[in-house]
Amino acid sequence: MSDSFVRAHVAAPSFAAKRSIWTGRFRGVSMPTARRPSSCAALASIRQQQRTPTNGYRRSIESRESIRMGIPSKGRMAEDTMKLLEECQLKVCKLNPRQYAAEIPNVPGMEVWFQRATDVVRKLLSGDIDVGIVGYDMLREIGNQDNDLVVVHDALGFGACHLAIAVPNSWENINSLDELLSDKRWSKERPLRVVTAYMNLAEQFFAELGFENVELSTADGALEAAPAMDAADCILDLVSSGTTLRENNLKQIENGRVLESQGVLVASRSALLNRPGTLEIIHELLERLEAHLRAEGLFMVTANVRGSSAEEVATRLASNGGQLLRGLQGPTVSPIFSPSTDGSNSKDGAFYAVSIGVPKSRIYETVKEIRKEGGSGVLVFPLTYVFDEEPPRWNALMNHLELDTRDYEHLKVGI
């Protein structure tokens, strides 16, 4: 996942705001001729409201000096965002819980603004904020592939879900996308009715399939009830565990996934290139985020291993233990001073401390392999951060922006 964009859906009572259809193809949606005048007006109205952020007024860089970050203000996405930032020593602080403005003391010079998820994307597009954390689904739907949106980190590790088509369980003969689209029931006169909050992504999806006999409508919530009420034939909605679908007698179908989503860090290209200090702040955010996310699930296993030299111990572990005992780049081996009771060096040979980073799921396997090599006194403890020489996504960002990484070497050491 490296793009990001989404179109705002129009608020509508229950399952209203149905998108009319006419025979001319519009991004893959076909529409009956008789309704052409009214449907054109409806389409223009919806599209105008949805695309205003992309095509509308965009504030100039000179309109303000401060660097602004937008984060979700409510819901699970907001909770997960705050939790991740705090775990990365980027705790958000605000004096009054009713205020929408805050700061991160460890990142001086950056304002934090709490916004609805949809508004995080809109305000990136309008130039009101420079950086944001939002779900990839919202970025795709509202952002509409705007070139100014740059995904800086595409996997923040929370908010995992996917946008998918779900049909009634009673449709026993329809279990795949091909079976759904080839069903004889759908025609220009009787199109497949799909209700969704993701009109832009839905249009793109059916257009790419070349499927014209579809009618899209939008709703603010409770999409799962639409098929049972005969307000739609199926739904296109976000799915995480799938429990809500099952409880409403709906099922996902094979190849019916439209988009995989999770939390992403996004920035304005204009701000990255033109607002002083933005790239420096992005570098620090990436350093902290990637170090923490890389360390998740990793544990350090340390043991005492007897050997003739540090090189001999390292070679033996790498040869006999395979990749498991090589750690992240290779085992860290250092000598241990072990005097005998009379103060002289032990005659049994030297001990070396061996440290290896391993996934949590392979801790016990690693301990057993170390014991085979004579290891003892094994200690295991979780890792909090794993810092690379440079965050891989920072180098990717530099390449994307066509900037020379050598101009930013000082950021590694804080000069």
Side-chain angles (χ1 to χ4, degrees):
M1 295 187 317
S2 296
D3 309 308
S4 33
F5 29 92
V6 172
R7 182 177 304 169
H9 63 272
V10 179
S14 98
F15 302 104
K18 190 172 290 183
R19 190 167 287 196
S20 308
I21 0 196
W22 44 298
T23 49
R25 182 183 299 180
F26 185 81
R27 302 190 69 181
V29 182
S30 70
M31 318 188 165
T33 310
R35 287 183 278 173
R36 178 180 293 223
S38 61
S39 63
C40 285
L43 282 167
S45 174
I46 291 172
R47 193 157 275 97
Q48 182 179 14
Q49 292 184 52
Q50 293 168 340
R51 301 188 71 162
T52 297
T54 303
N55 298 331
Y57 173 75
R58 184 171 294 181
R59 296 184 184 277
S60 66
I61 293 294
E62 294 77 19
S63 64
R64 59 180 167 84
E65 296 181 359
S66 61
I67 299 169
R68 292 177 178 171
M69 179 180 189
I71 62 177
S73 57
K74 296 180 180 179
R76 182 64 180 272
M77 183 67 72
E79 295 172 4
D80 289 343
T81 298
M82 294 287 281
K83 181 174 182 289
L84 174 63
L85 292 175
E86 185 170 356
E87 289 173 344
C88 296
Q89 303 303 308
L90 295 169
K91 185 175 182 178
V92 179
C93 299
K94 56 180 178 178
L95 298 178
N96 187 329
R98 294 181 179 273
Q99 289 181 334
Y100 290 98
E103 63 177 4
I104 299 177
N106 283 340
V107 186
M110 184 177 74
E111 301 173 359
V112 178
W113 290 84
F114 291 90
Q115 300 287 300
R116 292 188 305 174
T118 52
D119 287 339
V120 171
V121 184
R122 292 192 183 102
K123 289 183 178 179
L124 277 166
L125 291 169
S126 66
D128 290 302
I129 63 175
D130 308 301
V131 187
I133 292 179
V134 71
Y136 184 62
D137 58 302
M138 277 294 134
L139 187 59
R140 287 288 305 271
E141 178 67 20
I142 304 295
N144 199 23
Q145 304 190 60
D146 192 285
N147 188 56
D148 193 59
L149 297 177
V150 179
V151 178
V152 178
H153 198 299
D154 60 351
L156 294 180
F158 63 84
C161 57
H162 60 273
L163 186 64
I165 293 174
V167 304
N169 286 332
S170 58
W171 292 7
E172 296 179 357
N173 296 327
I174 295 181
N175 296 290
S176 70
L177 182 62
D178 288 341
E179 291 172 348
L180 175 64
L181 301 186
S182 62
D183 193 298
K184 301 295 185 183
R185 288 177 291 176
W186 320 132
S187 65
K188 292 180 180 179
E189 292 71 30
R190 174 54 173 94
L192 172 67
R193 301 170 302 159
V194 182
V195 63
T196 183
Y198 293 83
M199 297 294 282
N200 190 35
L201 289 173
E203 280 189 0
Q204 294 175 15
F205 179 69
F206 287 108
E208 290 172 2
L209 293 171
F211 183 67
E212 299 182 353
N213 298 325
V214 61
E215 180 181 81
L216 302 176
S217 60
T218 186
D220 288 331
L223 270 63
E224 294 83 2
M229 297 174 64
D230 196 32
D233 298 307
C234 62
I235 71 172
L236 178 61
D237 199 14
L238 287 181
V239 181
S240 51
S241 66
T243 301
T244 305
L245 292 182
R246 291 190 293 271
E247 291 179 348
N248 286 275
N249 299 312
L250 297 173
K251 63 182 180 181
Q252 297 183 67
I253 57 176
E254 183 181 353
N255 297 324
R257 289 196 180 195
V258 176
L259 184 78
E260 300 290 336
S261 180
Q262 65 173 301
V264 295
L265 176 66
V266 195
S268 160
R269 182 187 302 270
S270 301
L272 290 172
L273 294 175
N274 301 308
R275 189 178 301 286
T278 305
L279 274 173
E280 287 77 2
I281 283 178
I282 286 293
H283 182 273
E284 179 165 354
L285 293 177
L286 277 177
E287 282 259 70
R288 292 174 179 266
L289 288 168
E290 290 214 12
H292 172 68
L293 292 171
R294 189 180 180 196
E296 278 192 340
L298 284 179
F299 282 70
M300 184 63 72
V301 178
T302 301
N304 298 332
V305 178
R306 198 184 300 276
S308 59
S309 67
E311 292 77 10
E312 183 271 329
V313 170
T315 301
R316 177 154 46 93
L317 292 175
S319 300
N320 299 341
Q323 187 62 43
L324 183 63
L325 297 188
R326 293 180 185 178
L328 301 178
Q329 293 178 313
T332 300
V333 182
S334 56
I336 296 175
F337 180 66
S338 303
S340 59
T341 53
D342 61 1
S344 62
N345 290 333
S346 173
K347 298 179 180 178
D348 295 326
F351 272 107
Y352 293 86
V354 174
S355 298
I356 304 169
V358 300
K360 183 177 182 179
S361 61
R362 306 194 71 180
I363 290 176
Y364 188 52
E365 183 182 355
T366 302
V367 171
K368 291 191 291 184
E369 287 296 326
I370 290 178
R371 283 174 176 167
K372 289 180 183 178
E373 302 304 319
S376 61
V378 182
L379 303 177
V380 179
F381 48 92
L383 295 177
T384 305
Y385 303 102
V386 177
F387 287 94
D388 286 308
E389 183 178 358
E390 272 288 26
R393 286 179 173 83
W394 170 258
N395 293 328
L397 177 64
M398 292 291 97
N399 291 334
H400 179 74
L401 297 175
E402 298 182 345
L403 298 175
D404 192 337
T405 56
R406 291 173 296 183
D407 294 336
Y408 300 90
E409 286 287 318
H410 63 284
L411 297 180
K412 293 194 297 185
V413 292
I415 298 177

